[in-house]
């Protein structure tokens, strides 16, 4: 039976707030890094020269691997690997590395899909105008591709915020861990986890709506 | 420190047993989720408005909250109202709850992709209802849905690793125990990652072949 003393205190609220910010930080930092590196990976994979072939193969394997190993397994692998090398990283840093690695793999696939969605004639036209590979990307391909890239990228961010709940398993103090702490303190689990679910929902739902709106708007602009 | 794989690889029957449990869980949750998804998608099309709103609320809630916390709620929250779920059941119920929502969205998109003109054409040609389903609707709908459904199944297979958090002895759970027993966690998880990779690649390949043979899907999947 919950007694009156077991109601939420100021410090519980602070814990939840810190957890919320950590969750957001993990997701945003991970996706930011993922977008940056993912763009680099995707662009390197559009190159056609033979000298780049081994690099392209390596990047292909990297994307394949990280998209086919569960988040939790990657997280624990990075965690134990960091532990065995005595790198002295905090659990948050470990989670950040993992999140960045995974987001890079997923986002590079999304970005590559966007780049490939641009008609091949655009590449040929750019080449006919004597653009270099990089100039063609910068001035012709990317301005057309980002409309295709943005909606699934937002969708990925939404998915990713939810996936970061797994970081609680290595002891990162994010939203799910905060819920666990409050539960262990003796607050009714139903209340605590209901609240955590609600908080995740409050972050995730507006982003989902935003993604849908961006999708319909950009799709309209593309079909002109 | 060099990696030592031998003590881990010696335990291969233990790990493969875990991998089998993972696959079983994914298949079971997918099948149950498919049932929920079908009912929900059908009711979204045909049901009364209040039911439609309820289903939309369910789908929105389930797809916007983490599966892990949903299972936490089932596993730690429900005992307070007298429903005690064992770890495996909690994980399965959580996965089914989640899968039902995602599959409902996929199925709804598939149902919307059938053009009424096609159904009218079948009607004009004197097809019976079964024939319409068999020769017009399913081939058409599956072409749209099959890649998404396969993708969802692969995601769910990888997602079973979450059950280890609650002490289910599937692949990730067994890997954790093995790592703790042998002090070779890094090696254990590399082997587990390899197993997950193999499972998902084999499953993808089989689904692609199935899609090509049965539904004649030419497009690149996954």
């Amino acid at each position: 039976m919950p007694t009156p003393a077991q109601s939420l205190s100021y410090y519980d609220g602070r814990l939840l707030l810190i957890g919320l910010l950590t969750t957001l930080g993990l997701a945003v930092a991970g996706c930011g890094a993922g977008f940056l590196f993912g763009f680099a990976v995707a662009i390197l994979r559009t190159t056609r020269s033979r000298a780049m072939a081994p690099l392209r193969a390596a990047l292909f394997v990297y994307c394949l691997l990280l998209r086919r190993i569960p988040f939790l397994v990657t997280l624990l692998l990075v965690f134990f690997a960091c532990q065995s090398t005595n790198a002295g990283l905090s659990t948050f840093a470990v989670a950040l590395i993992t999140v960045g690695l995974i987001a890079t793999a997923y986002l590079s696939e999304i970005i590559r899909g966007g780049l490939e969605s641009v008609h091949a004639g655009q590449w040929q036209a750019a080449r006919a105008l004597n653009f270099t590979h990089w100039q063609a990307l910068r001035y012709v391909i990317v301005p057309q591709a980002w409309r295709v890239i943005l909606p699934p990228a937002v969708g990925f961010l939404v998915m990713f915020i939810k996936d970061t709940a797994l970081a609680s398993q290595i002891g990162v103090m994010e939203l799910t861990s905060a819920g666990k702490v409050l539960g262990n303190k003796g607050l009714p689990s139903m209340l605590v986890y209901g609240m955590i679910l609600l908080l995740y929902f409050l972050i995730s739902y507006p982003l989902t709506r935003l993604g849908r709106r961006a999708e319909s708007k950009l799709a309209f602009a593309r079909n002109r | 420190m060099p990696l030592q794989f031998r003590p881990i690889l010696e335990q291969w029957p233990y790990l493969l047993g875990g991998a089998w449990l993972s696959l079983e869980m994914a298949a079971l949750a997918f099948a149950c989720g498919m049932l929920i998804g079908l009912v929900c998608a059908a009711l979204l099309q045909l049901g009364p408005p209040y039911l439609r709103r309820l289903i939309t609320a369910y789908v929105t809630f389930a797809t916007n909250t983490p599966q892990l916390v949903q299972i936490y709620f089932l596993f730690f929250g429900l005992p307070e109202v007298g429903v005690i779920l064992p770890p495996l059941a909690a994980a399965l119920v959580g996965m089914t709850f989640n899968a039902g929502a995602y599959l409902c969205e996929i199925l709804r998109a598939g149902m919307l992709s059938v053009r009424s003109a096609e159904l009218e054409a079948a009607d004009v040609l004197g097809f019976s209802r079964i024939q319409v389903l068999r020769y017009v609707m399913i081939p058409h709908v599956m072409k749209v849905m099959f890649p998404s459904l396969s993708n969802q199944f692969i995601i769910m297979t990888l997602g079973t690793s979450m059950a280890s958090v609650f002490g289910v002895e599937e692949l990730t759970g067994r890997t954790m125990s093995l790592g703790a027993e042998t002090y070779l966690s890094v090696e254990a998880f590399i082997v587990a990652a390899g197993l997950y990779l193999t499972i998902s690649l084999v499953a993808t390949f089989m689904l692609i072949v199935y899609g090509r043979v049965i539904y004649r899907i030419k497009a690149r999947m996954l």
Side-chain angles (χ1 to χ4, degrees), chain A residues 65 68 70 72-73 76-77 80 162 165 169 180 188-190 197 200-201 204-205 208, chain B residues 60 63-66 68 72-73 76 80 102 158 161 164-165 176 185 189 196 200 204:
Chain A
L65 276 179
R68 283 174 184 281
L72 185 61
V73 174
L76 289 170
L77 188 56
F80 286 121
K162 294 183 287 167
Q169 294 315 306
K180 269 194 335 196
S189 299
M190 229 172 176
L197 282 172
Y200 272 110
F201 185 81
S204 171
Y205 185 61
T208 310
Chain B
T60 313
T63 54
N64 278 307
T65 48
L68 181 69
Y72 265 117
F73 185 85
F76 294 113
E80 285 172 4
Y102 281 104
L158 299 181
S161 64
S164 65
V165 171
M176 281 183 190
S185 287
F189 276 101
Y196 274 113
S200 81
T204 307

mmCIF file of all heavy atoms in Angstrom, chain A residues 65 68 70 72-73 76-77 80 162 165 169 180 188-190 197 200-201 204-205 208, chain B residues 60 63-66 68 72-73 76 80 102 158 161 164-165 176 185 189 196 200 204:
data_model
loop_
_atom_site.group_PDB
_atom_site.id
_atom_site.type_symbol
_atom_site.label_atom_id
_atom_site.label_comp_id
_atom_site.label_asym_id
_atom_site.label_seq_id
_atom_site.Cartn_x
_atom_site.Cartn_y
_atom_site.Cartn_z
ATOM 1 N N LEU A 65 26.342 -4.293 -40.787
ATOM 2 C CA LEU A 65 26.528 -4.858 -39.446
ATOM 3 C C LEU A 65 25.674 -4.140 -38.421
ATOM 4 O O LEU A 65 24.878 -4.753 -37.713
ATOM 5 C CB LEU A 65 27.989 -4.728 -39.023
ATOM 6 C CG LEU A 65 28.949 -5.813 -39.486
ATOM 7 C CD1 LEU A 65 30.346 -5.486 -38.993
ATOM 8 C CD2 LEU A 65 28.513 -7.149 -38.945
ATOM 9 N N ARG A 68 21.994 -4.664 -38.331
ATOM 10 C CA ARG A 68 21.510 -6.026 -38.132
ATOM 11 C C ARG A 68 21.954 -6.624 -36.814
ATOM 12 O O ARG A 68 21.845 -7.834 -36.605
ATOM 13 C CB ARG A 68 21.942 -6.907 -39.296
ATOM 14 C CG ARG A 68 21.081 -6.640 -40.489
ATOM 15 C CD ARG A 68 21.510 -7.349 -41.703
ATOM 16 N NE ARG A 68 20.677 -6.947 -42.804
ATOM 17 C CZ ARG A 68 19.460 -7.425 -43.013
ATOM 18 N NH1 ARG A 68 18.963 -8.310 -42.212
ATOM 19 N NH2 ARG A 68 18.749 -7.010 -44.026
ATOM 20 N N PRO A 70 21.242 -6.113 -32.718
ATOM 21 C CA PRO A 70 20.322 -5.358 -31.861
ATOM 22 C C PRO A 70 21.048 -4.248 -31.107
ATOM 23 O O PRO A 70 22.224 -4.390 -30.749
ATOM 24 C CB PRO A 70 19.806 -6.414 -30.891
ATOM 25 C CG PRO A 70 20.055 -7.706 -31.533
ATOM 26 C CD PRO A 70 21.225 -7.542 -32.423
ATOM 27 N N LEU A 72 20.795 -3.289 -28.084
ATOM 28 C CA LEU A 72 21.287 -3.695 -26.768
ATOM 29 C C LEU A 72 22.617 -4.434 -26.881
ATOM 30 O O LEU A 72 23.531 -4.220 -26.073
ATOM 31 C CB LEU A 72 20.236 -4.575 -26.082
ATOM 32 C CG LEU A 72 20.523 -5.002 -24.661
ATOM 33 C CD1 LEU A 72 20.635 -3.787 -23.765
ATOM 34 C CD2 LEU A 72 19.422 -5.915 -24.153
ATOM 35 N N VAL A 73 22.741 -5.301 -27.886
ATOM 36 C CA VAL A 73 23.971 -6.083 -28.047
ATOM 37 C C VAL A 73 25.130 -5.164 -28.425
ATOM 38 O O VAL A 73 26.228 -5.275 -27.867
ATOM 39 C CB VAL A 73 23.764 -7.193 -29.099
ATOM 40 C CG1 VAL A 73 25.064 -7.909 -29.384
ATOM 41 C CG2 VAL A 73 22.715 -8.178 -28.627
ATOM 42 N N LEU A 76 26.142 -3.233 -25.267
ATOM 43 C CA LEU A 76 26.903 -4.015 -24.293
ATOM 44 C C LEU A 76 28.291 -4.356 -24.825
ATOM 45 O O LEU A 76 29.264 -4.377 -24.073
ATOM 46 C CB LEU A 76 26.134 -5.287 -23.930
ATOM 47 C CG LEU A 76 24.898 -5.035 -23.077
ATOM 48 C CD1 LEU A 76 24.053 -6.283 -22.957
ATOM 49 C CD2 LEU A 76 25.292 -4.561 -21.694
ATOM 50 N N LEU A 77 28.374 -4.580 -26.144
ATOM 51 C CA LEU A 77 29.674 -4.876 -26.745
ATOM 52 C C LEU A 77 30.616 -3.690 -26.579
ATOM 53 O O LEU A 77 31.762 -3.843 -26.136
ATOM 54 C CB LEU A 77 29.481 -5.224 -28.227
ATOM 55 C CG LEU A 77 30.686 -5.734 -28.990
ATOM 56 C CD1 LEU A 77 31.268 -6.953 -28.303
ATOM 57 C CD2 LEU A 77 30.301 -6.091 -30.408
ATOM 58 N N PHE A 80 31.548 -3.350 -22.802
ATOM 59 C CA PHE A 80 32.571 -4.288 -22.313
ATOM 60 C C PHE A 80 33.913 -4.049 -22.989
ATOM 61 O O PHE A 80 34.959 -4.228 -22.368
ATOM 62 C CB PHE A 80 32.111 -5.727 -22.515
ATOM 63 C CG PHE A 80 31.045 -6.139 -21.543
ATOM 64 C CD1 PHE A 80 29.808 -6.566 -21.978
ATOM 65 C CD2 PHE A 80 31.292 -6.083 -20.174
ATOM 66 C CE1 PHE A 80 28.831 -6.940 -21.075
ATOM 67 C CE2 PHE A 80 30.316 -6.454 -19.267
ATOM 68 C CZ PHE A 80 29.075 -6.884 -19.724
ATOM 69 N N LYS A 162 13.181 6.572 -28.512
ATOM 70 C CA LYS A 162 12.636 5.432 -27.778
ATOM 71 C C LYS A 162 13.711 4.371 -27.539
ATOM 72 O O LYS A 162 13.734 3.736 -26.489
ATOM 73 C CB LYS A 162 11.466 4.832 -28.569
ATOM 74 C CG LYS A 162 10.298 5.783 -28.651
ATOM 75 C CD LYS A 162 9.141 5.171 -29.361
ATOM 76 C CE LYS A 162 9.404 5.078 -30.840
ATOM 77 N NZ LYS A 162 8.455 4.225 -31.520
ATOM 78 N N ALA A 165 16.128 4.291 -24.461
ATOM 79 C CA ALA A 165 15.697 3.714 -23.181
ATOM 80 C C ALA A 165 16.601 2.547 -22.796
ATOM 81 O O ALA A 165 16.785 2.260 -21.610
ATOM 82 C CB ALA A 165 14.249 3.249 -23.277
ATOM 83 N N GLN A 169 20.313 0.191 -19.318
ATOM 84 C CA GLN A 169 20.864 -1.112 -18.958
ATOM 85 C C GLN A 169 22.343 -1.070 -18.603
ATOM 86 O O GLN A 169 22.855 -1.997 -17.992
ATOM 87 C CB GLN A 169 20.622 -2.130 -20.085
ATOM 88 C CG GLN A 169 19.175 -2.448 -20.285
ATOM 89 C CD GLN A 169 18.471 -2.694 -18.969
ATOM 90 O OE1 GLN A 169 18.896 -3.520 -18.176
ATOM 91 N NE2 GLN A 169 17.404 -1.953 -18.713
ATOM 92 N N LYS A 180 13.292 3.667 -12.831
ATOM 93 C CA LYS A 180 13.698 2.499 -12.039
ATOM 94 C C LYS A 180 14.070 2.915 -10.624
ATOM 95 O O LYS A 180 13.704 2.249 -9.647
ATOM 96 C CB LYS A 180 14.883 1.797 -12.707
ATOM 97 C CG LYS A 180 14.430 0.731 -13.647
ATOM 98 C CD LYS A 180 15.468 -0.259 -14.141
ATOM 99 C CE LYS A 180 16.897 0.093 -14.183
ATOM 100 N NZ LYS A 180 17.692 -0.812 -15.015
ATOM 101 N N PRO A 188 4.758 3.567 -6.118
ATOM 102 C CA PRO A 188 4.040 2.530 -6.864
ATOM 103 C C PRO A 188 4.527 2.447 -8.310
ATOM 104 O O PRO A 188 4.592 3.460 -9.006
ATOM 105 C CB PRO A 188 2.579 2.985 -6.809
ATOM 106 C CG PRO A 188 2.547 4.246 -6.061
ATOM 107 C CD PRO A 188 3.873 4.550 -5.495
ATOM 108 N N SER A 189 4.896 1.236 -8.716
ATOM 109 C CA SER A 189 5.508 1.057 -10.046
ATOM 110 C C SER A 189 4.584 1.498 -11.156
ATOM 111 O O SER A 189 5.012 2.049 -12.166
ATOM 112 C CB SER A 189 5.859 -0.409 -10.270
ATOM 113 O OG SER A 189 6.766 -0.836 -9.318
ATOM 114 N N MET A 190 3.299 1.257 -10.968
ATOM 115 C CA MET A 190 2.363 1.601 -12.016
ATOM 116 C C MET A 190 2.369 3.100 -12.273
ATOM 117 O O MET A 190 2.414 3.550 -13.413
ATOM 118 C CB MET A 190 0.965 1.167 -11.599
ATOM 119 C CG MET A 190 0.303 0.395 -12.670
ATOM 120 S SD MET A 190 -1.217 -0.270 -12.070
ATOM 121 C CE MET A 190 -1.758 -0.989 -13.567
ATOM 122 N N LEU A 197 6.151 6.549 -19.298
ATOM 123 C CA LEU A 197 5.544 6.352 -20.623
ATOM 124 C C LEU A 197 4.976 7.663 -21.140
ATOM 125 O O LEU A 197 5.165 8.028 -22.304
ATOM 126 C CB LEU A 197 4.428 5.303 -20.543
ATOM 127 C CG LEU A 197 4.858 3.839 -20.496
ATOM 128 C CD1 LEU A 197 3.665 2.946 -20.232
ATOM 129 C CD2 LEU A 197 5.524 3.431 -21.797
ATOM 130 N N TYR A 200 7.771 10.024 -22.301
ATOM 131 C CA TYR A 200 8.270 9.644 -23.625
ATOM 132 C C TYR A 200 7.267 10.054 -24.693
ATOM 133 O O TYR A 200 7.632 10.551 -25.755
ATOM 134 C CB TYR A 200 8.502 8.133 -23.702
ATOM 135 C CG TYR A 200 9.872 7.709 -23.254
ATOM 136 C CD1 TYR A 200 10.060 7.006 -22.083
ATOM 137 C CD2 TYR A 200 10.994 8.010 -24.020
ATOM 138 C CE1 TYR A 200 11.310 6.612 -21.667
ATOM 139 C CE2 TYR A 200 12.253 7.624 -23.614
ATOM 140 C CZ TYR A 200 12.404 6.927 -22.442
ATOM 141 O OH TYR A 200 13.643 6.548 -22.039
ATOM 142 N N PHE A 201 5.996 9.827 -24.390
ATOM 143 C CA PHE A 201 4.953 10.162 -25.358
ATOM 144 C C PHE A 201 4.976 11.659 -25.669
ATOM 145 O O PHE A 201 4.858 12.062 -26.825
ATOM 146 C CB PHE A 201 3.590 9.739 -24.810
ATOM 147 C CG PHE A 201 2.470 9.943 -25.781
ATOM 148 C CD1 PHE A 201 2.233 9.010 -26.776
ATOM 149 C CD2 PHE A 201 1.675 11.059 -25.711
ATOM 150 C CE1 PHE A 201 1.218 9.192 -27.680
ATOM 151 C CE2 PHE A 201 0.647 11.252 -26.619
ATOM 152 C CZ PHE A 201 0.423 10.308 -27.603
ATOM 153 N N SER A 204 7.818 12.346 -27.968
ATOM 154 C CA SER A 204 7.788 11.652 -29.248
ATOM 155 C C SER A 204 6.631 12.096 -30.135
ATOM 156 O O SER A 204 6.784 12.237 -31.344
ATOM 157 C CB SER A 204 7.719 10.153 -28.968
ATOM 158 O OG SER A 204 7.488 9.431 -30.105
ATOM 159 N N TYR A 205 5.479 12.344 -29.513
ATOM 160 C CA TYR A 205 4.284 12.611 -30.321
ATOM 161 C C TYR A 205 4.393 13.891 -31.163
ATOM 162 O O TYR A 205 4.118 13.860 -32.367
ATOM 163 C CB TYR A 205 3.043 12.633 -29.426
ATOM 164 C CG TYR A 205 1.763 12.792 -30.205
ATOM 165 C CD1 TYR A 205 1.383 11.849 -31.148
ATOM 166 C CD2 TYR A 205 0.946 13.893 -30.012
ATOM 167 C CE1 TYR A 205 0.217 11.999 -31.869
ATOM 168 C CE2 TYR A 205 -0.224 14.045 -30.737
ATOM 169 C CZ TYR A 205 -0.578 13.094 -31.662
ATOM 170 O OH TYR A 205 -1.723 13.253 -32.386
ATOM 171 N N THR A 208 6.522 13.214 -34.084
ATOM 172 C CA THR A 208 5.849 12.401 -35.106
ATOM 173 C C THR A 208 4.970 13.282 -35.973
ATOM 174 O O THR A 208 4.973 13.177 -37.201
ATOM 175 C CB THR A 208 4.970 11.328 -34.430
ATOM 176 O OG1 THR A 208 5.753 10.665 -33.456
ATOM 177 C CG2 THR A 208 4.454 10.334 -35.430
ATOM 178 N N THR B 60 -1.305 5.264 -31.724
ATOM 179 C CA THR B 60 -0.486 6.442 -31.442
ATOM 180 C C THR B 60 0.316 6.233 -30.167
ATOM 181 O O THR B 60 1.511 6.523 -30.118
ATOM 182 C CB THR B 60 -1.376 7.688 -31.282
ATOM 183 O OG1 THR B 60 -2.304 7.704 -32.343
ATOM 184 C CG2 THR B 60 -0.557 8.940 -31.302
ATOM 185 N N THR B 63 3.094 3.372 -30.611
ATOM 186 C CA THR B 63 4.223 3.678 -31.483
ATOM 187 C C THR B 63 5.029 4.872 -30.986
ATOM 188 O O THR B 63 6.095 5.141 -31.512
ATOM 189 C CB THR B 63 3.763 3.964 -32.924
ATOM 190 O OG1 THR B 63 2.772 4.988 -32.885
ATOM 191 C CG2 THR B 63 3.189 2.730 -33.567
ATOM 192 N N ASN B 64 4.519 5.578 -29.978
ATOM 193 C CA ASN B 64 5.254 6.749 -29.493
ATOM 194 C C ASN B 64 5.890 6.562 -28.125
ATOM 195 O O ASN B 64 6.358 7.518 -27.524
ATOM 196 C CB ASN B 64 4.343 7.975 -29.484
ATOM 197 C CG ASN B 64 4.247 8.604 -30.849
ATOM 198 O OD1 ASN B 64 5.259 8.912 -31.467
ATOM 199 N ND2 ASN B 64 3.051 8.744 -31.352
ATOM 200 N N THR B 65 5.849 5.334 -27.603
ATOM 201 C CA THR B 65 6.512 5.082 -26.326
ATOM 202 C C THR B 65 7.446 3.887 -26.497
ATOM 203 O O THR B 65 7.202 3.026 -27.333
ATOM 204 C CB THR B 65 5.492 4.763 -25.227
ATOM 205 O OG1 THR B 65 4.578 3.793 -25.712
ATOM 206 C CG2 THR B 65 4.729 5.986 -24.801
ATOM 207 N N PRO B 66 8.537 3.834 -25.703
ATOM 208 C CA PRO B 66 9.505 2.751 -25.901
ATOM 209 C C PRO B 66 8.942 1.397 -25.455
ATOM 210 O O PRO B 66 8.264 1.311 -24.428
ATOM 211 C CB PRO B 66 10.684 3.144 -25.005
ATOM 212 C CG PRO B 66 10.380 4.473 -24.463
ATOM 213 C CD PRO B 66 8.946 4.748 -24.651
ATOM 214 N N LEU B 68 10.606 -0.996 -24.268
ATOM 215 C CA LEU B 68 11.214 -1.398 -22.995
ATOM 216 C C LEU B 68 10.394 -0.919 -21.805
ATOM 217 O O LEU B 68 10.132 -1.673 -20.871
ATOM 218 C CB LEU B 68 12.636 -0.828 -22.912
ATOM 219 C CG LEU B 68 13.419 -1.183 -21.662
ATOM 220 C CD1 LEU B 68 13.768 -2.654 -21.654
ATOM 221 C CD2 LEU B 68 14.678 -0.352 -21.550
ATOM 222 N N TYR B 72 8.389 -2.829 -18.871
ATOM 223 C CA TYR B 72 8.581 -2.484 -17.455
ATOM 224 C C TYR B 72 7.233 -2.312 -16.771
ATOM 225 O O TYR B 72 7.004 -2.804 -15.682
ATOM 226 C CB TYR B 72 9.359 -1.169 -17.315
ATOM 227 C CG TYR B 72 10.845 -1.331 -17.129
ATOM 228 C CD1 TYR B 72 11.753 -0.840 -18.050
ATOM 229 C CD2 TYR B 72 11.336 -1.977 -15.999
ATOM 230 C CE1 TYR B 72 13.098 -0.980 -17.878
ATOM 231 C CE2 TYR B 72 12.687 -2.122 -15.814
ATOM 232 C CZ TYR B 72 13.566 -1.627 -16.759
ATOM 233 O OH TYR B 72 14.897 -1.769 -16.586
ATOM 234 N N PHE B 73 6.355 -1.578 -17.452
ATOM 235 C CA PHE B 73 5.020 -1.326 -16.898
ATOM 236 C C PHE B 73 4.286 -2.645 -16.664
ATOM 237 O O PHE B 73 3.705 -2.874 -15.590
ATOM 238 C CB PHE B 73 4.231 -0.429 -17.859
ATOM 239 C CG PHE B 73 2.888 -0.010 -17.329
ATOM 240 C CD1 PHE B 73 2.784 1.096 -16.514
ATOM 241 C CD2 PHE B 73 1.750 -0.728 -17.641
ATOM 242 C CE1 PHE B 73 1.550 1.488 -16.022
ATOM 243 C CE2 PHE B 73 0.516 -0.343 -17.146
ATOM 244 C CZ PHE B 73 0.421 0.770 -16.333
ATOM 245 N N PHE B 76 6.510 -4.765 -13.817
ATOM 246 C CA PHE B 76 6.582 -4.236 -12.453
ATOM 247 C C PHE B 76 5.296 -3.552 -12.014
ATOM 248 O O PHE B 76 5.006 -3.480 -10.830
ATOM 249 C CB PHE B 76 7.740 -3.246 -12.326
ATOM 250 C CG PHE B 76 9.080 -3.877 -12.491
ATOM 251 C CD1 PHE B 76 9.878 -3.570 -13.579
ATOM 252 C CD2 PHE B 76 9.562 -4.789 -11.560
ATOM 253 C CE1 PHE B 76 11.116 -4.159 -13.745
ATOM 254 C CE2 PHE B 76 10.796 -5.373 -11.718
ATOM 255 C CZ PHE B 76 11.576 -5.058 -12.817
ATOM 256 N N GLU B 80 0.865 -4.828 -9.031
ATOM 257 C CA GLU B 80 0.172 -4.009 -8.033
ATOM 258 C C GLU B 80 -1.337 -4.125 -8.108
ATOM 259 O O GLU B 80 -2.040 -3.822 -7.158
ATOM 260 C CB GLU B 80 0.588 -2.540 -8.191
ATOM 261 C CG GLU B 80 1.983 -2.310 -7.658
ATOM 262 C CD GLU B 80 2.498 -0.937 -7.970
ATOM 263 O OE1 GLU B 80 1.749 -0.124 -8.541
ATOM 264 O OE2 GLU B 80 3.659 -0.682 -7.636
ATOM 265 N N TYR B 102 2.202 -1.383 -34.881
ATOM 266 C CA TYR B 102 2.968 -1.155 -36.106
ATOM 267 C C TYR B 102 2.355 -1.897 -37.271
ATOM 268 O O TYR B 102 2.246 -1.379 -38.389
ATOM 269 C CB TYR B 102 4.427 -1.579 -35.918
ATOM 270 C CG TYR B 102 5.238 -0.547 -35.170
ATOM 271 C CD1 TYR B 102 5.580 -0.721 -33.841
ATOM 272 C CD2 TYR B 102 5.650 0.612 -35.807
ATOM 273 C CE1 TYR B 102 6.302 0.225 -33.158
ATOM 274 C CE2 TYR B 102 6.385 1.564 -35.140
ATOM 275 C CZ TYR B 102 6.701 1.375 -33.796
ATOM 276 O OH TYR B 102 7.415 2.319 -33.142
ATOM 277 N N LEU B 158 15.315 -8.831 -33.929
ATOM 278 C CA LEU B 158 16.409 -8.158 -33.231
ATOM 279 C C LEU B 158 15.905 -7.597 -31.895
ATOM 280 O O LEU B 158 16.643 -7.567 -30.918
ATOM 281 C CB LEU B 158 16.978 -7.037 -34.097
ATOM 282 C CG LEU B 158 17.562 -7.467 -35.446
ATOM 283 C CD1 LEU B 158 18.114 -6.271 -36.188
ATOM 284 C CD2 LEU B 158 18.647 -8.508 -35.279
ATOM 285 N N SER B 161 16.019 -9.079 -28.084
ATOM 286 C CA SER B 161 17.145 -8.949 -27.153
ATOM 287 C C SER B 161 16.718 -8.180 -25.907
ATOM 288 O O SER B 161 17.296 -8.332 -24.837
ATOM 289 C CB SER B 161 18.306 -8.243 -27.836
ATOM 290 O OG SER B 161 17.941 -6.939 -28.179
ATOM 291 N N SER B 164 15.987 -9.870 -22.459
ATOM 292 C CA SER B 164 17.050 -10.271 -21.531
ATOM 293 C C SER B 164 17.057 -9.378 -20.297
ATOM 294 O O SER B 164 17.476 -9.801 -19.217
ATOM 295 C CB SER B 164 18.402 -10.198 -22.231
ATOM 296 O OG SER B 164 18.689 -8.865 -22.555
ATOM 297 N N VAL B 165 16.582 -8.137 -20.458
ATOM 298 C CA VAL B 165 16.533 -7.199 -19.338
ATOM 299 C C VAL B 165 15.688 -7.778 -18.197
ATOM 300 O O VAL B 165 15.944 -7.527 -17.028
ATOM 301 C CB VAL B 165 15.949 -5.852 -19.826
ATOM 302 C CG1 VAL B 165 15.684 -4.924 -18.669
ATOM 303 C CG2 VAL B 165 16.873 -5.221 -20.831
ATOM 304 N N MET B 176 24.922 -12.832 -21.802
ATOM 305 C CA MET B 176 25.304 -12.136 -20.561
ATOM 306 C C MET B 176 25.775 -13.144 -19.522
ATOM 307 O O MET B 176 26.816 -12.951 -18.880
ATOM 308 C CB MET B 176 24.107 -11.381 -20.002
ATOM 309 C CG MET B 176 23.818 -10.085 -20.686
ATOM 310 S SD MET B 176 22.423 -9.332 -19.823
ATOM 311 C CE MET B 176 22.026 -8.012 -20.901
ATOM 312 N N SER B 185 33.317 -11.291 -21.625
ATOM 313 C CA SER B 185 32.107 -10.653 -22.130
ATOM 314 C C SER B 185 32.264 -10.149 -23.555
ATOM 315 O O SER B 185 31.351 -10.276 -24.371
ATOM 316 C CB SER B 185 31.705 -9.494 -21.227
ATOM 317 O OG SER B 185 31.186 -9.988 -20.030
ATOM 318 N N PHE B 189 29.919 -11.331 -26.580
ATOM 319 C CA PHE B 189 29.020 -10.450 -27.329
ATOM 320 C C PHE B 189 29.393 -10.374 -28.801
ATOM 321 O O PHE B 189 28.515 -10.144 -29.646
ATOM 322 C CB PHE B 189 28.954 -9.067 -26.682
ATOM 323 C CG PHE B 189 27.952 -9.033 -25.570
ATOM 324 C CD1 PHE B 189 28.339 -9.105 -24.252
ATOM 325 C CD2 PHE B 189 26.605 -9.000 -25.865
ATOM 326 C CE1 PHE B 189 27.396 -9.123 -23.244
ATOM 327 C CE2 PHE B 189 25.662 -9.015 -24.861
ATOM 328 C CZ PHE B 189 26.064 -9.082 -23.547
ATOM 329 N N TYR B 196 23.281 -12.945 -34.346
ATOM 330 C CA TYR B 196 22.153 -12.084 -34.741
ATOM 331 C C TYR B 196 22.267 -11.716 -36.214
ATOM 332 O O TYR B 196 21.280 -11.722 -36.942
ATOM 333 C CB TYR B 196 22.111 -10.815 -33.895
ATOM 334 C CG TYR B 196 21.376 -10.970 -32.596
ATOM 335 C CD1 TYR B 196 22.044 -10.896 -31.391
ATOM 336 C CD2 TYR B 196 20.014 -11.202 -32.572
ATOM 337 C CE1 TYR B 196 21.380 -11.037 -30.192
ATOM 338 C CE2 TYR B 196 19.340 -11.353 -31.378
ATOM 339 C CZ TYR B 196 20.025 -11.267 -30.193
ATOM 340 O OH TYR B 196 19.361 -11.412 -29.011
ATOM 341 N N SER B 200 19.508 -12.680 -39.018
ATOM 342 C CA SER B 200 18.736 -11.681 -39.769
ATOM 343 C C SER B 200 19.041 -11.769 -41.254
ATOM 344 O O SER B 200 18.152 -11.569 -42.081
ATOM 345 C CB SER B 200 18.981 -10.286 -39.218
ATOM 346 O OG SER B 200 20.174 -9.766 -39.723
ATOM 347 N N THR B 204 16.240 -12.572 -43.929
ATOM 348 C CA THR B 204 16.007 -11.637 -45.028
ATOM 349 C C THR B 204 16.054 -12.358 -46.366
ATOM 350 O O THR B 204 15.177 -12.181 -47.221
ATOM 351 C CB THR B 204 17.079 -10.531 -45.029
ATOM 352 O OG1 THR B 204 17.121 -9.952 -43.747
ATOM 353 C CG2 THR B 204 16.761 -9.482 -46.058
#
